[in-house]
Amino acid sequence: QVQLVESGGGSVQAGGSLRLSCAASGYTYNKYCMRWFRQAPGKEREGVAQINAVSRHTSYADSVKGRFTVSQDNDANNTLYLQMNNLKPEDTGMYYCGASAGPRCPNLWYGGNTYWGRGTQVTVSS
């Protein structure tokens, strides 16, 4: 059973940075696409970034390109990261780590057939 645990969320001012982590267990890393989604209050969950664990190909939502970086550490920790720089108030939301059967990643907008963590809250104030 895939288990995902996010950490690293918090409250920052606009322009600040945060680094989210996702500790993964119960899976073989090179068989999954690892993903970050977020959900703002009153809005649907949306794809933010994802990475093919084998090719290391990454995809980003247009709203975060140039500011966010997704990476994966495939040593014994199997940890997924999301480095978020130049944060904006519109980045506020609950951030979820996801694992989709792969390693090829689906379209970033597609959130089906994915294991999810419980999320970590990110709040950006202006």
Side-chain angles (χ1 to χ4, degrees), residues 26-56:
Y27 82 128
T28 303
Y29 81 93
N30 61 356
K31 295 186 183 298
Y32 286 86
C33 167
M34 298 304 293
R35 321 176 74 192
W36 287 102
F37 273 56
R38 68 185 180 189
Q39 187 167 17
K43 295 188 176 181
E44 293 186 354
R45 190 177 295 191
E46 64 174 353
V48 175
Q50 59 189 16
I51 182 168
N52 179 315
V54 175
S55 71
R56 300 291 180 158

Side-chain angles (χ1 to χ4, degrees), residues 5-28:
V5 180
E6 303 94 336
S7 61
S11 297
V12 297
Q13 290 190 329
S17 298
L18 284 173
R19 189 192 197 200
L20 305 184
S21 299
C22 173
S25 60
Y27 82 128
T28 303

